[in-house]
Amino acid sequence: MSAYIFSNLVVTAGMLTPGLSTTGTLGWQIANQSLNVAINSSNANKSIPLSMSTMVQSYFLAVGASCGVALGLNSIVPRLKRVSPNTKMLLGRLVPFAAVASAGVLNVFLMRGEEIRKGIDVFPTETEAQKLKREEAGLPLQSLGKSKKAATLAVGETAISRVINATPIMVLPPLLL
């Protein structure tokens, strides 16, 4: 996650470029979802292995959702009849955010859905003294078991964080400009 903000700056700037053609929109949405798959894969709970076929399927579904939302909204917003020109312009500037947010959430749930279905390991909390004693004895921290509820919470929080992370850079500049 330490590389997420820096690597995402280039992609975000590309998606927010004014007057992007259809090819440009598709290219930047594909680049964004490729980055998201890499981040989600590297940060997934490794107690539940993710098969390559699941990863590929998740990637294509997220890319399809991202491109579909971006292209769909880009074609719908200009044709809105009961909306003022300023509102149309504002909505048009928020299309990249809508595409990124929806596909980002979908991507997280697709990439980490196995965790929700099977559960993730839950570990007890330890004080520093307990941790030191256990480590001195060379004992591993034992899992209390697998929890589907903990997995749902973890994946849901990750999905929300993707929207929150995208909000400042993808909403504020278009609104201010």
Side-chain angles (χ1 to χ4, degrees):
M1 279 311 291
S2 61
Y4 180 74
I5 298 221
F6 298 110
S7 58
N8 211 26
L9 280 175
V10 173
V11 175
T12 300
M15 286 187 292
L16 292 176
T17 303
L20 274 179
S21 65
T22 300
T23 305
T25 299
L26 289 174
W28 284 114
Q29 290 298 329
I30 291 168
N32 182 57
Q33 289 313 309
S34 298
L35 177 62
N36 284 345
V37 165
I39 297 285
N40 290 336
S41 175
S42 63
N43 289 293
N45 185 307
K46 299 305 180 193
S47 66
I48 305 293
L50 184 66
S51 70
M52 185 57 78
S53 65
T54 301
M55 191 181 311
V56 169
Q57 178 185 11
S58 299
Y59 171 74
F60 283 111
L61 286 171
V63 166
S66 174
C67 292
V69 168
L71 294 177
L73 289 177
N74 277 337
S75 70
I76 290 171
V77 168
R79 293 188 280 154
L80 295 174
K81 294 182 181 182
R82 295 183 183 171
V83 177
S84 71
N86 285 339
T87 304
K88 281 184 194 179
M89 182 179 65
L90 181 62
L91 290 173
R93 288 181 179 173
L94 294 175
V95 166
F97 172 71
V100 165
S102 60
V105 168
L106 176 65
N107 189 310
V108 168
F109 279 98
L110 290 170
M111 292 288 294
R112 297 183 61 188
E114 219 37 45
E115 293 174 30
I116 294 172
R117 285 186 285 282
K118 293 183 178 177
I120 59 173
D121 286 320
V122 178
F123 296 93
T125 57
E126 291 182 314
T127 64
E128 283 300 316
Q130 290 171 325
K131 181 180 176 182
L132 185 61
K133 184 178 177 182
R134 181 184 51 77
E135 287 176 347
E136 285 176 356
L139 299 172
L141 183 61
Q142 295 295 320
S143 170
L144 296 173
K146 294 206 179 275
S147 169
K148 292 179 181 181
K149 186 174 183 176
T152 302
L153 182 64
V155 173
E157 287 176 352
T158 302
I160 291 168
S161 77
R162 294 302 191 263
V163 175
I164 291 170
N165 284 341
T167 300
I169 197 163
M170 297 198 77
V171 172
L172 296 179
L175 291 179
L176 292 173
L177 295 174

